[in-house]
Amino acid sequence: MGPLSARLLMQRGRPKSDRLGKIRSLDLSGLKLLSEHLDPKLLSRLTQLQELDLSNNQLETLPANLGLSHLRILRCANNQLGDVTALCQFPQLEELSLEGNPFLTVSDNLKVSFLLPKLRKVNGKDASSTSSQVENLNRELTSRVTAHWEKFMATRSPEEEAEKAQADFVKSAVRNVRYGPESLSEFTQWRVQMISEALVASGGTQVHETGIPERPSKATAAQEPRARPMALKRSGDVSLSLSPSKRGCPSPPAHVKGSPMGSDGSQPALDLEPLHFLQCHSKNNSPRDLETQLWACAFEPAWEEGQAGATSQTVATCGGEAVCVIDCQTGIVLHKYKAPGEEFFSVAWTALTVVTQAGHKKRWSVLAAAGLRGLVRLLHVRAGFCCGVIRAHKKAIATLCFSPTHETHLFTASYDKRIILWDVGVPNHDYEFQASSQLLTLDAASIPLRLCPVASCPEAYLLAGCEGGCCCWDVRLDQPQKRRVCEVEFVFSEGSEAPGRRVDGLAFVNEDVVASKGNSLGTICLWSWSQTWVGRGKQSTLAVVVLARLQWSPTKLAYFSLSTCPDEGIVLCGDEEGNVWVYDVRHILTQQPPLPAAPQAPTQILKWPQPWALGQMVTKTMVNTVVANPTFTYLTALTDSNIVVIWKRP
């Protein structure tokens, strides 16, 4: 498609007219338009235009001077837009569609709400909740910028040049004023700069709610209700979209700590407090649904290079027919994906580099989700849509994980007693995955429950916790066989000649030490991969070299998944009473043998304050999954009563 012409506009405009100035509605969708094709001189002649459809094109930006001052409805779905600031030229806009623009973020959604004070609908949904969030953010940011001004100017000498001091203040405010989750940092920094510049222009006069557009007042009944001491529900959950949604309540006023349990007295209790209780997987969004089972969660890794200490506070959870992506700091459900008739059992993250139609390279997160129907759905989280489906197994998928060394390699483990390694590939210009290729099929003697690439050699070996024990496969792709049986089954009991029982917890604590659970009641086993593997020879069963055992709940119930924070030396596991067992094992990892024969007590047991959280709705619950982000700043626990609990370490 080349540049637009007056003739084309009159052909596609309504009502039909030989004068551009009389057109009120214009459909330019599906013409493969590029940004440079939108000629401002031509389009500015549409002086009465109220509705414009630019969907299904290849627009990366909107020209800033289109002159469409009467525009009320704008559709820009399925383009390549990466910025929304040009929308400020449409002050009368009431309805906006931006679905399918992969590079727009939650911050862009907030910018839209700020820039367009008359906006009523975004992507077909009511925009009032987002506008309320923007107003709250503006109030807090204005207060913080004003406080920063007072502190900043107090340190300046009277002789310092005023203009330089003011310029330095703006830079300092953008650098130091922080509020809200990292996922909204682009928006908050954008607003901080605007607020600080306005404050400088006013000569330091306190600015209240700087630049907040006036909005129509709402009826009292439509105002946000006061938080109650129970897990709250937000009405009208939306499938994956740009609109964040918070469902839950803040942490209780009383600080809650776990019980310190260090065996030698040298391990201090970790300072953790419950921050949010969320009920974001409920059927029909009902607050009374306490039965939807939550199965797995995973923190999004920090993909940005060169950010020392960078860590994610975004966690994906799955249960029932929904996958939710949550910001742990605010408790906001950033995205929600629903698949009616599905029950999701597992989620896993990767990051892929895609080349746009304009030749630009973009890095974006992909979330794989799978469950009852044997399908793997590849979700483009940032844009909010499913961009690929793999028909992986005929039976349910119990768990999945991406290779830590190959970003497109995905392991799926099914109730059909098979593990398959897939290459999901890289999506095309339309952000669609093509047919995935099957690289390996690994046969198991029992159902694989947990997958764990060996930390020191992830390209060579894969561990799996199974119903019949712990097994290992050779997954090197330079070997000829594409279908393989288990290389080794591990024995955990001394003197036993047969593999042990179910292993339902499995994770590496560091590059060598494995934490596993299930073979012995009431204990978690720490064992050495290298010391165990070195004695393999040609054996098909191999006794593990146990380094230590950790005391855990004596329950006979199964399927409590353990997890680790390798950088922090932490092991985590929930129990049948709703507790979270926390083990700081750094002293065990560095201690010289022989280690104590008795199981090591946990460093701490976190008690969930159930009565405060749920009133009388739940009398007992269990925590079946608990995961922390790499720096152990946030901890997410999933309960069998449909509650997501987020803890924070101050």
Side-chain angles (χ1 to χ4, degrees):
M1 179 70 194
L4 297 174
S5 65
R7 181 179 178 182
L8 177 65
L9 298 188
M10 286 185 287
Q11 288 176 345
R12 289 197 163 230
R14 296 288 185 276
K16 288 296 183 180
S17 173
D18 58 356
R19 296 179 58 186
L20 295 180
K22 291 187 177 182
I23 294 176
R24 293 179 177 272
S25 176
L26 180 61
D27 183 0
L28 297 178
S29 63
L31 297 178
K32 298 184 179 180
L33 293 173
L34 302 177
S35 299
E36 53 265 31
H37 294 157
L38 301 181
D39 182 3
K41 290 183 179 180
L42 177 61
L43 293 175
S44 62
R45 294 166 59 186
L46 300 164
T47 55
Q48 299 301 315
L49 191 68
Q50 296 187 21
E51 182 175 350
L52 176 60
D53 191 345
L54 294 171
S55 301
N56 302 305
N57 285 298
Q58 300 171 16
L59 304 175
E60 293 191 352
T61 60
L62 290 176
N65 54 346
L66 292 177
L68 306 175
S69 58
H70 296 286
L71 199 65
R72 294 189 304 105
I73 300 173
L74 176 62
R75 299 185 181 91
C76 292
N78 302 317
N79 278 281
Q80 307 290 315
L81 296 177
D83 184 65
V84 296
T85 53
L87 294 173
C88 66
Q89 65 185 299
F90 310 126
Q92 304 302 316
L93 207 63
E94 298 177 7
E95 296 184 19
L96 176 65
S97 175
L98 291 171
E99 304 105 321
N101 284 274
F103 308 120
L104 295 183
T105 66
V106 177
S107 289
D108 292 306
N109 196 37
L110 298 183
K111 288 181 182 180
V112 164
S113 182
F114 175 81
L115 294 169
L116 302 172
K118 294 188 177 181
L119 198 64
R120 296 184 297 105
K121 288 186 177 181
V122 177
N123 300 334
K125 305 298 180 181
D126 183 15
S128 60
S129 61
T130 305
S131 66
S132 298
Q133 183 185 11
V134 168
E135 290 171 3
N136 292 334
L137 284 170
N138 270 299
R139 278 191 286 271
E140 183 64 30
L141 291 173
T142 299
S143 174
R144 294 186 180 217
V145 170
T146 303
H148 188 70
W149 166 271
E150 296 171 355
K151 181 179 179 181
F152 182 87
M153 297 308 292
T155 63
R156 296 288 169 168
S157 62
E159 297 80 15
E160 188 170 354
E161 184 180 344
E163 186 175 342
K164 182 179 184 304
Q166 292 171 349
D168 288 346
F169 164 72
V170 174
K171 294 178 182 177
S172 177
V174 172
R175 184 172 58 250
N176 296 304
V177 175
R178 292 284 185 270
Y179 180 68
E182 184 64 26
S183 58
L184 303 185
S185 61
E186 182 186 350
F187 172 79
T188 56
Q189 290 181 22
W190 179 71
R191 284 296 298 131
V192 164
Q193 180 163 347
M194 296 171 69
I195 295 169
S196 57
E197 288 174 348
L199 191 60
V200 166
S202 71
T205 303
Q206 183 150 349
V207 182
H208 293 283
E209 301 182 21
T210 305
I212 298 179
E214 294 185 3
R215 300 185 183 275
S217 59
K218 293 182 172 56
T220 304
Q223 294 177 353
E224 186 175 347
R226 187 183 303 272
R228 303 189 299 275
M230 59 179 289
L232 300 183
K233 307 289 291 190
R234 179 180 59 79
S235 61
D237 266 328
V238 184
S239 297
L240 271 169
S241 70
L242 295 175
S243 301
S245 54
K246 181 171 182 176
R247 299 170 53 198
C249 46
S251 59
H255 184 72
V256 181
K257 292 185 179 180
S259 306
M261 299 289 289
S263 59
D264 58 3
S266 63
Q267 296 296 317
L270 299 167
D271 193 17
L272 287 151
E273 59 184 7
L275 191 62
H276 302 289
F277 301 86
L278 305 175
Q279 206 173 354
C280 47
H281 290 267
S282 300
K283 295 177 182 177
N284 301 319
N285 204 42
S286 169
R288 298 185 179 277
D289 175 16
L290 301 174
E291 297 179 357
T292 294
Q293 181 67 64
L294 307 181
W295 290 106
C297 57
F299 275 88
E300 179 182 11
W303 308 117
E304 296 81 1
E305 297 180 358
Q307 294 189 10
T311 187
S312 171
Q313 61 188 38
T314 304
V315 68
T317 61
C318 70
E321 62 182 17
V323 174
C324 294
V325 179
I326 303 168
D327 183 278
C328 289
Q329 180 172 333
T330 63
I332 292 174
V333 180
L334 301 174
H335 304 291
K336 186 170 184 178
Y337 175 80
K338 296 179 73 174
E342 179 65 277
E343 183 173 5
F344 288 106
F345 294 155
S346 186
V347 287
W349 292 92
T350 190
L352 301 176
T353 300
V354 63
V355 180
T356 69
Q357 290 175 328
H360 300 152
K361 290 185 178 180
K362 297 285 186 178
R363 184 83 164 163
W364 47 275
S365 293
V366 174
L367 181 67
L372 184 64
R373 298 179 64 182
L375 306 176
V376 177
R377 290 175 169 85
L378 300 170
L379 309 179
H380 186 334
V381 174
R382 189 175 185 183
F385 61 87
C386 179
C387 47
V389 177
I390 304 173
R391 299 185 180 278
H393 298 268
K394 292 183 179 180
K395 291 190 177 181
I397 296 174
T399 188
L400 44 75
C401 74
F402 278 97
S403 165
T405 54
H406 294 284
E407 60 189 23
T408 64
H409 287 189
L410 174 68
F411 290 98
T412 60
S414 170
Y415 283 80
D416 61 13
K417 300 180 184 179
R418 290 190 302 163
I419 301 169
I420 298 179
L421 174 59
W422 303 87
D423 188 340
V424 301
V426 177
N428 59 22
H429 292 313
D430 294 324
Y431 306 97
E432 297 174 342
F433 283 90
Q434 306 304 302
S436 300
S437 58
Q438 186 172 322
L439 303 178
L440 291 176
T441 299
L442 311 176
D443 291 316
S446 59
I447 298 171
L449 304 172
R450 314 292 176 203
L451 297 180
C452 191
V454 174
S456 59
C457 47
E459 296 180 351
Y461 295 105
L462 176 74
L463 283 178
C466 304
E467 285 284 0
C470 185
C471 302
C472 176
W473 285 265
D474 185 334
V475 293
R476 289 174 292 183
L477 295 177
D478 58 358
Q479 305 297 312
Q481 300 86 359
K482 299 306 178 184
R483 185 157 191 164
R484 303 173 188 178
V485 297
C486 171
E487 289 272 319
V488 171
E489 295 183 60
F490 293 101
V491 177
F492 288 83
S493 301
E494 294 182 7
S496 173
E497 296 182 356
R501 300 177 301 175
R502 174 194 305 117
V503 171
D504 57 1
L506 191 68
F508 273 84
V509 185
N510 59 22
E511 282 209 346
D512 181 54
V513 179
V514 186
S516 61
K517 182 185 70 66
N519 281 97
S520 301
L521 289 179
T523 61
I524 294 171
C525 180
L526 299 184
W527 53 282
S528 168
W529 162 263
S530 61
Q531 294 180 48
T532 301
W533 197 251
V534 74
R536 179 202 170 191
K538 296 183 178 181
Q539 302 176 66
S540 59
T541 60
L542 195 59
V544 300
V545 177
V546 176
L547 302 178
R549 297 185 187 274
L550 307 177
Q551 176 190 343
W552 184 64
S553 170
T555 179
K556 294 183 179 180
L557 297 177
Y559 309 116
F560 295 93
S561 177
L562 65 80
S563 65
T564 61
C565 291
D567 292 342
E568 300 293 316
I570 298 291
V571 178
L572 302 162
C573 195
D575 71 8
E576 78 286 2
E577 298 291 339
N579 303 320
V580 176
W581 298 59
V582 184
Y583 308 85
D584 185 342
V585 299
R586 287 172 294 182
H587 66 293
I588 297 177
L589 300 178
T590 58
Q591 189 173 344
Q592 296 297 319
L595 292 172
Q600 307 285 294
T603 306
Q604 190 170 9
I605 298 180
L606 301 177
K607 304 284 186 179
W608 178 29
Q610 296 175 2
W612 183 91
L614 295 173
Q616 301 301 315
M617 291 192 294
V618 172
T619 57
K620 185 177 180 181
T621 190
M622 63 177 65
V623 172
N624 53 36
T625 302
V626 56
V627 175
N629 66 344
T631 57
F632 200 57
T633 310
Y634 294 98
L635 183 154
T636 301
L638 306 183
T639 74
D640 69 335
S641 55
N642 190 25
I643 306 297
V644 179
V645 188
I646 297 175
W647 302 74
K648 182 180 181 181
R649 184 171 68 171

